[in-house]
Amino acid sequence: MNRDPSPFRTASTASTATSPTPKYANLTASTNLRYSLTRKSIYDRHLNRTKTSELSKSAFAFLFGEMVQYAQKKVYGVQDLEKKLNLHGYAVGQRFLELLLWRDGRTAKRETRILGILQFISHQLYRAIFQKQADTLEKVRENEDEYMISDNDPVVNTYISVPKEMSQLNCGAFIAGIIEAVLDGHCFPAKVTAHTAPNEMWPGRTVFLIKFEPEVLEREALRVGS
Amino acid sequence: MFLFRLRSSRVFSLAVTMVVYAVLILNKAGGLIYQRDFNPGLQKLSSNDYLILAGTFHGVHAITSQISPTNETSSSGLEVLESENFVMRCFQTLTGTKFLIFAEPRQQNLDVVVRRVYELYADYVMKNPFYQIEMPIRSEGFDRHLTSYIKPHQ
């Protein structure tokens, strides 16, 4: 089989591409991503339409893998890459929080306490994204302003094996970004980072370390006093 | 009840007799991208010899897929190699990657094993953003899942 396309062949395919039959042109116009066959755009659909729908884990793994590779092209080190993934997650989190609260409707509540917002993240948010709760929620004993949420097997890391020379990296930084956006959205500014913390049962266990800004603790102290 | 017992005893006997010696993966150019021994029984080779083995097998496979005693125009090539001491099963994917499994002679259901290894490869190697296609496989997740699939069968 001759793999090299002959000039004649490329010329002939090009000519068919520039002059498509009217039927073919009609088909492409009606079935692009934004408009379905019923001529309704995605903005015409109800927001709750995708509330319970599931998505293929493989498709997500490929998309996320591609995202990691794309982020990797423009960075200088592991920390830079994690920051980039965190930013991607932040954009998702900002939008997702809005959607989540809208879906709660009248029962939606604005969390004002640290414990409340952390429980919101490890229960409601986690369940909405991953259909499970986060595995643990703990306070760091040494530091007043640090909390940990752990996930035994983060969905984003299922198929990812980090090479040895990048052992510091955890692609859970993406989820950390989502958490950070949700905290920011509730006026709890914080830094969230993802760390690998394996145990015998769960080799991919990831801990999200949440470090609140000092003003959050100040406000919390005022609430306790009142 | 009887049916249930029959079925469970069969599964049990399969699990006991399963001994896989080694798994090799060849890329589409005939280069060795993965080699791992699971049970003792095969001769240890130097890394250079493994590469020669892979290249030689690639050539033999290409020849066997060209010549076919039947009227069919193309053949799938060499699939099973049996000897007194081992059986080798080869599975070639549509993209040209080859999976070789070495096991004890008269080992049954090797095609199932090789399919499962292919599945693990598709999951933990191809979906890993840090894997460069056609390059040697260094994926901790793949190693781990392969071990947990093959080891308990010995």
Side-chain angles (χ1 to χ4, degrees):
Chain A
M1 197 177 79
N2 185 16
R3 294 234 166 144
D4 292 335
S6 63
F8 173 71
R9 216 174 137 189
T10 37
S12 70
T13 46
S15 67
T16 49
T18 46
S19 60
T21 57
K23 193 180 163 194
Y24 182 73
N26 194 17
L27 192 73
T28 45
S30 60
T31 57
N32 63 29
L33 283 175
R34 197 154 282 179
Y35 292 97
S36 66
L37 282 168
T38 54
R39 287 265 158 203
K40 272 193 166 181
S41 77
I42 56 169
Y43 307 109
D44 294 324
R45 291 186 201 143
H46 198 260
L47 276 177
N48 269 348
R49 200 180 127 129
T50 50
K51 190 178 173 182
T52 51
S53 55
E54 291 180 8
L55 130 128
S56 153
K57 194 175 179 184
S58 297
F60 175 74
F62 280 122
L63 180 69
F64 187 72
E66 211 52 46
M67 241 175 73
V68 173
Q69 277 181 337
Y70 178 74
Q72 222 179 341
K73 276 181 196 156
K74 305 169 174 189
V75 295
Y76 296 102
V78 170
Q79 283 196 334
D80 213 15
L81 176 58
E82 282 197 334
K83 203 169 154 191
K84 204 123 205 165
L85 287 172
N86 189 299
L87 274 175
H88 280 306
Y90 194 91
V92 172
Q94 279 180 316
R95 289 155 178 80
F96 201 79
L97 173 65
E98 208 73 67
L99 182 66
L100 204 58
L101 293 179
W102 179 84
R103 279 181 180 161
D104 275 350
R106 280 168 192 279
T107 56
K109 183 171 160 248
R110 183 172 173 273
E111 299 291 346
T112 51
R113 304 299 296 268
I114 286 182
L115 204 62
I117 182 68
L118 290 174
Q119 270 172 350
F120 173 80
I121 287 167
S122 66
H123 297 159
Q124 274 108 300
L125 177 76
Y126 237 78
R127 214 201 305 266
I129 308 179
F130 306 117
Q131 288 202 337
K132 64 160 193 183
Q133 289 185 6
D135 293 293
T136 59
L137 166 61
E138 295 165 70
K139 189 180 183 321
V140 178
R141 241 179 239 161
E142 298 84 50
N143 297 320
E144 205 46 42
D145 56 347
E146 290 182 347
Y147 290 83
M148 295 189 296
I149 290 177
S150 78
D151 187 339
N152 286 340
D153 188 17
V155 173
V156 295
N157 284 351
T158 312
Y159 300 119
I160 293 182
S161 302
V162 175
K164 283 203 171 62
E165 64 269 20
M166 296 173 91
S167 58
Q168 293 291 308
L169 176 72
N170 188 329
C171 295
F174 179 74
I175 302 177
I178 297 179
I179 295 174
E180 199 172 310
V182 169
L183 284 170
D184 262 3
H186 275 88
C187 290
F188 284 88
K191 284 268 166 296
V192 187
T193 46
H195 303 274
T196 315
N199 56 25
E200 293 98 60
M201 265 288 274
W202 304 102
R205 185 168 170 270
T206 296
V207 169
F208 301 106
L209 187 70
I210 300 165
K211 189 176 174 65
F212 286 108
E213 299 290 331
E215 65 256 33
V216 175
L217 292 169
E218 247 173 67
R219 189 178 61 202
E220 188 82 358
L222 287 175
R223 289 290 307 265
V224 173
S226 66
Chain B
M1 189 62 206
F2 174 70
L3 197 81
F4 171 72
R5 269 172 55 195
L6 191 75
R7 189 180 273 176
S8 63
S9 71
R10 198 168 141 250
V11 169
F12 182 67
S13 67
L14 253 182
V16 165
T17 54
M18 175 100 143
V19 176
V20 171
Y21 292 140
V23 173
L24 268 71
I25 303 176
L26 275 58
N27 67 12
K28 64 180 83 165
L32 185 71
I33 53 171
Y34 191 78
Q35 181 274 323
R36 194 148 155 238
D37 290 338
F38 289 92
N39 289 298
L42 288 187
Q43 204 181 336
K44 284 268 171 213
L45 296 178
S46 70
S47 53
N48 203 25
D49 285 350
Y50 275 119
L51 289 175
I52 293 169
L53 175 74
T56 309
F57 181 82
H58 184 74
V60 170
H61 191 277
I63 293 166
T64 52
S65 61
Q66 289 294 314
I67 49 167
S68 167
T70 63
N71 288 333
E72 306 286 323
T73 44
S74 66
S75 149
S76 63
L78 199 159
E79 282 187 348
V80 182
L81 184 72
E82 277 185 89
S83 83
E84 205 174 312
N85 303 317
F86 74 92
V87 54
M88 189 214 76
R89 174 99 199 177
C90 168
F91 170 71
Q92 188 180 25
T93 69
L94 288 175
T95 51
T97 309
K98 287 186 202 62
F99 291 82
L100 307 187
I101 300 237
F102 293 83
E104 263 194 344
R106 289 174 298 280
Q107 178 70 56
Q108 300 291 305
N109 290 73
L110 270 183
D111 48 340
V112 178
V113 179
V114 85
R115 286 262 165 191
R116 177 75 184 136
V117 174
Y118 181 29
E119 202 180 312
L120 290 173
Y121 168 83
D123 271 351
Y124 294 96
V125 179
M126 299 314 280
K127 287 178 193 165
N128 183 5
F130 300 103
Y131 175 66
Q132 278 179 313
I133 219 146
E134 304 284 298
M135 295 304 278
I137 298 167
R138 270 185 287 272
S139 162
E140 188 225 331
F142 182 61
D143 280 344
R144 201 170 56 234
H145 284 85
L146 206 56
T147 311
S148 67
Y149 174 61
I150 288 175
K151 275 276 158 102
H153 289 287
Q154 52 175 289

